[in-house]
């Protein structure tokens, strides 16, 4: 694997960049692997990377039906934070945030993790109560989080609408300074490059069409490119989790909903943090290219169409213009949708399945991107050891029977 | 954005409606007789199909009636609409997808 | 550069209005143009080509096109702090008197841009360079990032809120025609004549599309093209079912034939001339039975070294400037082409007196009528040649021309010739605009002859016509428009006679030569041949991406950012596909195509938001007594959509003082509260009691008429959803109350069960929240006051016990009086018809003075209920709390076999002993009021994180009746901890607290039952 640095860049510049080699190979699909990961998004590639790096399991294939990073990894609004309410979630997302902080170095690939802070706005004292509850819990869980009063909010983000007479004026906000945004595609590519270097086969354009199950134990997967044997199969397919689970005869508590996002035309730097609001219902940051990156809400019906209602775009633009009246004349440049798999408690499932050797990592809903490194890390552990890492132990499928849900609706009420 | 044919009001814009999720999940007659997993299956587990789905919709900004759609979740084409109590019609996913919106 | 006044304006011709000169400024310098000009045409008329700096390398860029696809000429229009628009395409900005425009992305000036240095070091900055560097030291990334951000971006956001107004229009039609060029108008005419309701939208100020760029002598049938156009427009404009929308872009094609259009209503007017009665823009939301796409085609450039130099234009665009605006793009203009269409430009330029020193044609043996005509005019055709370098810095000064090798991949040996010129027109062929078709989910097909994607299979009720589906030639486009119009009309079941297709002289065009990336001289490091001008992507960037394994077309796009700029790849996408195909050896259709996403071109966020921000963001609900509250010092708070008095400020009171006063009064004598906002549902029908049995945890069958009962509603997950008191008005009739915020959701929830699960139950639900005004009287004097002002109600404790309802008159107003209490005091809720609410309130207020009546707000209500340990759904509960958690097992029926959520109460996790339970908390210091939301721990000195949390504070107040602070909390295994000491953890300290019962005041209930 060619090392990336300013020096190798300069050296290659002398030869017109003709000598760079591929970031990852396109190897032929082998008939047998120790572990097959279904889904070449950020989570799947991270899982493969950590399987190789932390557990020495390198005979691994990542099977991607399209191109890697083409699902929600390449469609999200790139927010990374860990200020979740419950211990279980805080543990998971903070684990992830710590990995984010070293990821550029770890992968020798600049994933542009920009710790510019994430603010969650409160618009009245009721919202403030709920948000402060989170701030207190975060502090005790070792997650940086602070409460800003109205004045401090407007100082930290002067482009916010500070008019006290509006319907939902700014009352205060939580701020997680270590939170921020990252370059979404780079995360997939960085993990792919790292996994590939460790021997993992990344197979694109290979769709899984079924599982081979032998006496209650996974034996392999059927794909559009033939049967692949494996004693362990990890499935990380975002919106399509139910479809894959169905192939193994498993029912999931998941619905797949459209989630939309959009970007504006590029502007000179104007917004220097990430702002989210539940009451006004939108969130916004500015990319390094200068686009305002805006998340819309999800529609509440099952759909795999990657579309969503136009009214959601209108409502989101309303919220943005209400929060940032100076953005009114700025053009929306591109809108799109992804499909997200939503669990009833807005928390993921990262667990062993009733079929031995089969593992699912799903249900991230609207906020899976931020968890990419941590999710891959604990999922790799779960697959390698056939038992969950303590961090993902609460995120079972069985919690829906026992009732031990991790109800993070408050933390995840706005899609992000 | 879909145009949804409310069986009571006629075709209306999607945002007049709220989706209530999967249809035809019958509430168990004797929940106490179920084990935790059986109960969880009713409360939480969903088909979530890629393809033909029957779901419940409420015309919240209209007649406030609940009704059912058969819908292709891959294309969001509406294949059939029927009222509560009506037998679910057979639908064909390959039905022509170029239907015009209603007036 | 000539700075003469409009020295590039031809003496005659064009569609500009020479009688209306217009003054404007660009970068502070004054120029003149004419009405009918765009900013771009006016600048070109003044000899100004350089108008911007590129995104990444800050290269000088000129006007490339004459339309929405413009990738270079992005300008900031308007210098007002509030009304300034970034990234406007100069090619689309209609000129008005006093227009002020500025170039973007340069500092300090367009001619001298400090960031222009990046162009010098561009070899260090290939595609994706940022992934490979800026990694060390990690701590510096935020600094690097700041520099990157400042170099990137384009225009500037306004500095002040937008003062303009935007409106939304809903429309339905039979046929929506997108694009009013020859094909669109021909189709519209057919559709209109059939009687169909038709909307025709075109992004330009004037209908006509490519016809507007045709020379004067152009004939359609037996008429000049301009007359043909005028006749159609005249006919369409008289038809009542036809709506013509100029300056209107169809930007999005969504599901079920829903389309988004943006109409620019006043942008073309000088600010002073914009009528206040008109919105700046309108968003049209159109549901069309059939859609007719006639969006035309855009020309694509050729990829050769220095192809981004100001003075280089697309050939068709140069022709537009010539004929439509009477502007010559230079005095000596060369042409570079791979097809015949650019010959038109050469011929027309020559006809207009512009010198055309050379037509460089990369084809070896170009033939055909246009080529012949050019040769007959004496123009030099350099066949089999290409441009290998462009001289001039801010403007083309000449080109180097060399012969291509037979396969076109390299240069043939030989000497190059230099051609002096101040302009270069380029054509790489035409790309049909299939954005809207593709957005509609239609499947594209690849047309090998044109090397372009065209509409393949339709998915929605849609037709394409004219150049957007690859039709070439004016006559063919008109005929195609007629045919598509006929097909659409036929699908609608209408009939119409097909107009005769006019005869049009369209010279036949020979085949083009596809060389996606033309060879040049020198090292690849120095070669700068742009594929995507907007994103500064060069052919070698694409090859680098492929080399590095980014092979999927989406990877190529994302790694290089090709197609991700403001023009969304309109100019460059086909060249990207061609170069990738060539480099990988795959046929173009196998390369795949990136998804076309809405909007077709940028739409202001304010337009999409419309009138909704600000005053209309969310409804404000007020009670009939609102004005009284406002006049009497009420400070309001939001509760759901309602405005409720939070407290009433008297004189110079602080909030704390006001609340203390109100709380004390309610227990000492008499308080009055506006409780109108509580949700109220009328439940009626023979099965009403059975229905309540199923949705509440407790039993309702035996509730007597005239009696009230408190109820809890659970979700099927067993968690508390809402609460309230329900009263039996008759055997088959109940009055249910809900929380203020939950009213709508509870009604919807109940309807859901009734309609979908229990349609056999005969029950009707009606929201009566707005029908009743509710005044809660609270305190020992409440009975006495009612005694004085009511008729027909026996108020004695025996006749009218707690949890009962009586009907009668209060203040001579018909009323239902409920004896219920959310404060633990003797309390009555007086319900009167809403129209009498204000009168009843005034009467009670007036008559209550004798009892020192005190209006109190929600904050005092919260304190009063907290003193009694009464919960508030949403404050003591958060969707994870069961009745048992709140110590409310008494309300969960043991007899009923089932109710919604019952089964969930017996799951492994819900029967745990150490669930969080409702308790009271007392601080050591009576004046210490805890912070709501604070977390509770077991250690006085917290260990290092993570610290185990055993609970959190849900409510905390100063209780004037107890003379100290009180708090409610949810604590793990809390009921068993009564008397135990725990700690509330604050950032700077821990506060010791003692666990108590949540009922702080009158635990026996003597006061409310008295």
């Amino acid at each position: 694997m060619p090392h990336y640095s300013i020096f190798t860049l300069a050296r290659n510049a002398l030869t017109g960049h003709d000598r760079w080699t591929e970031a990852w190979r396109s190897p032929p699909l082998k008939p047998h692997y120790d572990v097959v990961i279904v889904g070449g998004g950020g989570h799947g590639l991270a899982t493969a990377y950590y399987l190789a790096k932390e557990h020495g399991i390198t005979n691994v294939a990542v099977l991607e039906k399209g191109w890697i990073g083409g699902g929600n990894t390449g469609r999200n609004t790139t927010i990374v934070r860990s200020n979740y309410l419950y211990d279980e979630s805080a543990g998971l997302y903070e684990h992830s945030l710590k990995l984010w902080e070293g990821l550029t170095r770890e992968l020798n690939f600049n994933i542009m993790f920009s710790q510019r802070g994430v603010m969650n706005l409160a618009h009245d004292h009721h919202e403030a109560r709920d948000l402060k509850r989170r701030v207190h819990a975060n502090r005790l869980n070792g997650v940086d989080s602070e409460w800003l009063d109205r004045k401090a909010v407007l100082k930290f983000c002067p482009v916010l609408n500070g008019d006290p007479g509006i319907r939902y004026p700014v009352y205060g906000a939580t701020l997680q300074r270590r939170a921020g945004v990252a370059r979404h595609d780079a995360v997939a590519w960085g993990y792919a490059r790292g996994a590939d270097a460790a021997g993992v086969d990344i197979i694109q354009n290979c769709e899984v069409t079924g599982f081979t199950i032998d006496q209650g134990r996974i034996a392999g997967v059927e794909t559009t490119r033939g049967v692949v044997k494996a004693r362990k199969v990890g499935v990380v397919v975002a919106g399509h989790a139910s479809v894959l689970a169905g192939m193994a005869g498993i029912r999931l508590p998941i619905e797949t909903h459209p989630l939309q996002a959009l970007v504006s035309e590029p502007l000179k730097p104007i917004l220097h943090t990430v702002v989210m609001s539940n009451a006004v219902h939108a969130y916004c940051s500015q990319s390094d290219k200068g686009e305002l990156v805006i998340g819309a809400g999800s529609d509440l019906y099952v759909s795999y169409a990657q579309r969503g209602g136009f009214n959601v775009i209108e409502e989101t633009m309303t919220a943005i213009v209400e929060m940032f009246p100076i953005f009114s004349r700025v053009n929306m440049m591109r809108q799109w949708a992804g499909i997200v798999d939503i669990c009833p408690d807005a928390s993921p499932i990262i667990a062993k399945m009733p079929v031995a050797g089969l593992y699912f990592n799903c249900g991230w809903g609207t906020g899976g991107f931020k968890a990419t490194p941590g999710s891959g890390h604990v999922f790799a552990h779960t697959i390698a050891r056939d038992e969950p890492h303590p961090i993902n132990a609460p995120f079972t499928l069985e919690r829906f029977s026992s009732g031990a849900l991790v109800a993070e609706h408050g933390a995840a009420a706005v899609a992000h | 954005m879909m145009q949804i044919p409310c069986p009571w009001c006629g075709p209306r814009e999607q945002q007049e409606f709220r989706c209530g999720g999967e249809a035809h999940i019958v509430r168990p007659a004797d929940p106490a007789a179920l084990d935790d997993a059986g109960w969880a299956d009713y409360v939480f587990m969903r088909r979530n199909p890629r393809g033909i789905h029957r779901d419940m919709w409420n015309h919240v900004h209209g007649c406030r009636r609940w009704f059912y759609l058969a819908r292709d979740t891959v294309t969001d084409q509406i294949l059939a609409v029927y009222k509560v109590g009506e037998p679910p019609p057979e639908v064909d996913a390959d039905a022509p997808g170029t239907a015009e919106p209603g007036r | 550069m000539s700075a003469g006044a409009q020295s590039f304006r031809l003496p005659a011709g064009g569609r500009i209005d020479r009688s209306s000169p217009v003054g404007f400024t660009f970068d502070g310098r004054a120029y003149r143009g004419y009405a009918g000009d765009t900013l771009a045409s006016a600048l070109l008329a003044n000899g100004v080509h350089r108008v911007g700096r590129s995104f990444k390398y800050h290269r000088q860029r000129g006007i490339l096109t004459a339309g929405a696809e413009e990738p270079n000429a992005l300008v900031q229009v308007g210098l007002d702090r509030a009304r300034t628009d970034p990234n406007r395409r100069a090619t689309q900005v209609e000129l008005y008197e006093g227009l002020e425009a500025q170039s973007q992305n340069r500092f300090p000036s367009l001619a001298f841009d400090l960031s222009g240095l990046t162009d010098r070091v561009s070899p260090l900055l290939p595609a994706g360079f940022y992934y490979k560097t800026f990694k060390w030291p990690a701590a510096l990334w935020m600094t690097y990032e700041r520099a990157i951000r400042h170099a990137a971006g384009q225009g500037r956001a306004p500095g002040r809120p937008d003062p303009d107004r935007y409106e939304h229009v809903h429309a339905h039609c039979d046929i929506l025609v997108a694009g009013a060029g020859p094909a669109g108008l021909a189709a519209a005419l057919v559709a209109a004549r059939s009687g169909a309701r038709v909307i025709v939208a075109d992004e330009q100020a004037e209908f006509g599309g490519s016809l507007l760029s045709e020379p004067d002598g152009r004939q359609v049938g037996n008429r000049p093209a301009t007359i043909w156009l005028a006749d159609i427009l005249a006919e369409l404009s008289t038809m009542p079912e036809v709506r013509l929308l100029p300056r209107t872009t169809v930007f999005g094609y969504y599901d079920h034939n829903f389309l988004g259009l943006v109409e620019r209503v006043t942008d073309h007017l000088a600010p002073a001339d914009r009528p206040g009665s008109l919105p700046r823009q309108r968003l049209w939301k159109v549901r069309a039975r059939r859609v007719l796409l006639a969006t035309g085609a855009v020309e694509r450039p050729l990829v050769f070294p220095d192809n981004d130099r100001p003075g280089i234009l697309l050939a068709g665009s140069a022709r537009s400037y010539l004929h439509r605006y009477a502007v010559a793009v230079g005095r000596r203009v060369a042409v570079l082409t791979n097809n015949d269409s650019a010959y038109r430009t050469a011929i027309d330029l020559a006809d207009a007196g512009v010198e055309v020193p050379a037509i460089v044609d990369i084809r070896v043996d170009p033939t055909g009528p246009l080529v012949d005509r050019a040769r007959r005019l004496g123009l030099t055709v350099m066949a089999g040649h290409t441009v290998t370098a462009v001289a001039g810095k801010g403007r083309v000064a000449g080109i180097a021309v060399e012969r291509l090798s037979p396969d076109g991949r390299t240069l043939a040996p030989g000497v190059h010739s230099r051609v002096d010129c101040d302009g270069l027109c380029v054509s790489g062929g035409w790309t049909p605009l299939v954005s809207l078709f593709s957005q509609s989910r239609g499947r594209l097909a690849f047309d090998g002859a044109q090397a372009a994607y065209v509409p393949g299979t339709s998915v929605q009720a849609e037709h394409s016509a004219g150049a957007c589906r690859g039709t070439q030639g004016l006559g063919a486009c008109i005929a195609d428009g007629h045919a598509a119009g006929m097909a659409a009309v036929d699908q609608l079941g209408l009939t119409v006679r097909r107009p005769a297709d006019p005869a049009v002289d369209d010279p036949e065009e020979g085949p083009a030569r596809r060389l996606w990336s033309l060879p040049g001289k020198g090292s690849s490091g120095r070669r700068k041949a742009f594929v995507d001008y907007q994103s500064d992507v060069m052919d070698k960037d694409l090859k680098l991406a492929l080399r590095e394994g980014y092979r999927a077309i989406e990877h190529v796009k994302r790694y290089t950012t090709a197609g991700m700029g403001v023009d969304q790849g309109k100019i460059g996408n086909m060249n990207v596909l061609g170069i990738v195909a060539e480099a990988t050896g795959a046929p173009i259709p196998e390369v795949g195509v990136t998804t076309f996403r809405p909007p077709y071109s940028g739409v202001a966020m304010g337009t999409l938001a419309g009138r909704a921000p600000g005053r209309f963001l969310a409804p404000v609900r007020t009670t009939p007594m609102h004005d009284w509250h406002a006049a009497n010092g009420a400070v309001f708070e939001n509760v759901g959509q309602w405005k409720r008095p939070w407290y009433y400020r008297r004189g110079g009171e602080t909030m704390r003082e006001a609340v203390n006063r109100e709380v004390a009064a309610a227990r000492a004598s008499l308080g009055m509260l506006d409780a109108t906002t509580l949700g109220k549902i009328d439940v009626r029908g023979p099965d009403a009691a059975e229905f309540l049995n199923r949705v509440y945890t407790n039993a309702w069958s035996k509730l007597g008429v005239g009696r009230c009962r408190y109820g809890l509603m659970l979700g099927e997950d067993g968690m508390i959803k809402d609460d309230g008191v329900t009263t039996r008005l008759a055997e088959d009739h109940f009055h249910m109350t809900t929380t203020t915020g939950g009213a709508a959701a509870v009604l919807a929830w109940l309807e859901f069960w009734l309609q979908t699960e229990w349609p056999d139950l005969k029950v009707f639900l009606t929201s009566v929240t707005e029908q009743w005004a509710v005044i809660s009287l609270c305190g020992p004097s409440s009975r006495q006051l009612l005694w004085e002002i009511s008729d027909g109600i026996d108020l004695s404790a025996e006749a009218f016990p707690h949890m009962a309802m009586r009907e009668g008159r209060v203040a001579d107003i018909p009323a239902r009086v409920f004896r219920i209490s959310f404060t633990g005091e003797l309390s009555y809720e007086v319900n009167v018809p809403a129209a009498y609410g204000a009168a009843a309130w005034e009467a009670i207020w007036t008559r209550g003075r004798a009892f020192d009546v005190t209006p109190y707000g929600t904050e005092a209500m919260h304190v009063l209920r907290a003193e009694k340990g009464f919960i508030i759904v949403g404050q003591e509960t958060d969707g994870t709390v069961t009745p048992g958690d709140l110590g409310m097992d008494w309300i969960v029926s043991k007899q009923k076999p089932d109710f919604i959520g019952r089964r969930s109460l017996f799951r492994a996790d819900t029967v745990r002993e150490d669930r969080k339970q409702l308790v009271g908390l007392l601080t050591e210091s009576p004046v210490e009021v805890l912070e709501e939301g604070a977390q509770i721990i077991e250690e006085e000195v917290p260990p290092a994180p993570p610290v185990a949390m055993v609970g959190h504070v849900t409510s905390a107040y100063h209780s004037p009746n107890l003379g100290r602070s009180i708090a409610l909390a949810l604590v793990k295994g809390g009921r068993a901890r009564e008397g135990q000491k725990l700690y509330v953890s604050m950032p700077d300290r821990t506060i010791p607290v003692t666990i108590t019962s949540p009922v702080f005041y009158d635990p026996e209930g003597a006061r409310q039952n008295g």
Side-chain angles (χ1 to χ4, degrees), chain A residues 238-307:
Chain A
H240 292 84
S242 298
V243 177
L244 271 288
M247 294 175 190
I250 296 166
R251 271 161 70 79
L252 294 177
I254 280 178
E255 284 199 353
T256 296
H257 293 174
L259 177 69
Q260 299 182 74
L262 54 107
V263 293
S264 77
E265 293 177 355
L267 301 171
K268 286 293 173 190
I270 181 84
L271 176 63
H272 311 298
T273 185
V274 183
V275 179
M276 318 177 61
S277 164
N278 273 358
V280 187
H281 214 84
Y283 54 100
C284 187
S285 65
Q286 189 176 19
S287 74
D288 286 349
K289 281 175 69 184
E291 304 138 332
L292 298 171
V293 182
I294 294 165
S298 65
D299 279 294
L300 299 179
Y301 53 90
V302 170
S303 179
Y304 290 78
Q306 300 193 327
R307 304 280 275 199

Side-chain angles (χ1 to χ4, degrees), chain C residues 590-647:
Chain C
E590 280 177 28
V591 167
V593 59
T594 56
T595 314
F596 292 88
R597 306 218 181 262
Y600 167 72
S601 57
V603 182
M605 299 202 216
T607 308
L608 295 163
R611 300 296 296 272
R615 211 147 56 87
F616 303 118
L617 184 70
V620 176
R621 295 173 81 184
T622 56
T623 73
M625 296 83 102
H626 185 83
D627 291 346
W628 190 95
H629 304 320
N632 285 272
V635 176
F636 293 95
E637 70 159 337
N638 287 328
V639 182
Q641 293 170 336
W642 292 96
K643 291 285 180 190
R644 296 195 72 179
W646 196 12
Y647 58 94

Side-chain angles (χ1 to χ4, degrees), chain A residues 4-6 9-10 13 15-24 26 67-69 74-75 85-87 104-105 108-110 112-116 123-126 129-130 132-134 136-137 139-142 167-169 181 183-186 189 204 262 264-272 280 286-292 294 305 307 310 313-314 317-318 320-322 325-337 400-405 407, chain C residues 55 82-87 89 105 123-124 126 129-136 141-142 145 149-162 164 166 168 251 253-255 258 280 285 439 441 524 544 547-552 554-555 558-559 564-566 568 597-599 602-606 608-609 612-614 617-620 637-638 641 643 646 875 878 880 907-909 916 931-935 937 945-947 949 952 954 985-987:
Chain A
Y4 291 163
S5 73
I6 184 70
L9 193 66
T15 52
H17 298 284
D18 283 342
R19 296 190 188 164
W20 288 108
T21 54
E22 29 181 35
W24 61 86
S26 298
W67 38 281
I68 60 168
R75 292 164 194 265
L85 174 61
Y86 290 104
D87 300 350
T104 287
R105 199 87 186 266
N108 177 234
F109 199 98
N110 191 348
M112 303 188 193
F113 180 40
S114 169
Q115 293 180 287
R116 55 180 75 173
H123 299 275
D124 61 36
H125 60 104
H126 301 290
R129 180 193 307 121
D130 291 339
K132 283 180 180 176
R133 179 181 169 196
R134 249 209 276 166
H136 287 293
R139 188 184 72 252
L140 291 165
N141 271 321
R167 188 72 176 87
Y168 301 111
V181 291
R183 174 88 184 101
H184 54 2
D185 293 327
W189 301 339
Q204 302 187 81
L262 54 107
S264 77
E265 293 177 355
L267 301 171
K268 286 293 173 190
I270 181 84
L271 176 63
H272 311 298
V280 187
Q286 189 176 19
S287 74
D288 286 349
K289 281 175 69 184
E291 304 138 332
L292 298 171
I294 294 165
R307 304 280 275 199
F310 183 73
I313 297 297
E314 291 176 73
M317 294 291 78
T318 298
I320 292 296
V321 173
E322 177 73 8
I326 66 165
F327 292 162
S328 169
R329 300 176 88 87
V330 174
N331 280 348
M332 166 172 87
M333 180 171 77
R334 183 170 64 244
Q335 61 163 113
W336 66 91
F400 295 94
S401 298
S402 72
L405 305 188
Chain C
F55 186 78
R83 285 193 177 93
T84 181
D85 298 311
N87 304 334
R89 289 70 165 162
N105 203 30
L124 280 176
F129 73 96
Y130 30 79
Y131 300 125
K132 294 180 177 135
T133 182
F134 301 125
K135 300 189 305 302
W136 186 89
W141 165 242
M142 296 305 287
E145 189 191 36
R149 290 186 65 198
H150 278 272
Q154 288 181 333
R156 294 186 186 281
R160 288 186 197 286
D162 188 353
D164 285 336
Y166 303 86
H168 287 187
F251 66 82
Y253 196 146
Y254 303 92
D255 287 339
F258 176 86
R280 178 185 172 219
K285 298 188 268 188
Q439 287 177 27
R441 263 200 253 257
S524 78
L544 173 64
R547 193 176 304 128
E548 292 196 80
Y550 300 89
R551 293 207 186 95
E554 279 283 354
H555 283 157
R558 286 157 182 263
Y559 191 65
M564 300 188 79
V566 170
Q568 290 288 286
R597 306 218 181 262
V603 182
M605 299 202 216
L608 295 163
L617 184 70
V620 176
E637 70 159 337
N638 287 328
Q641 293 170 336
K643 291 285 180 190
W646 196 12
Q875 190 161 341
D878 60 3
T880 68
R907 295 174 301 173
D909 193 71
K916 279 178 146 187
E931 179 165 289
E932 291 175 350
Q935 297 287 336
I937 60 175
V947 184
M949 290 165 259
H952 71 280
T954 59
S985 165
M986 298 303 288

Side-chain angles (χ1 to χ4, degrees), chain C residues 402-431:
Chain C
E402 298 194 44
R403 181 179 292 281
L404 287 162
S405 66
D407 71 356
R409 291 173 189 278
T410 54
L411 297 173
V415 289
H416 76 86
S417 42
R418 170 166 168 138
V419 177
D420 288 330
C421 56
D422 62 353
L424 176 64
C425 293
V426 177
S427 179
W430 294 78
T431 305

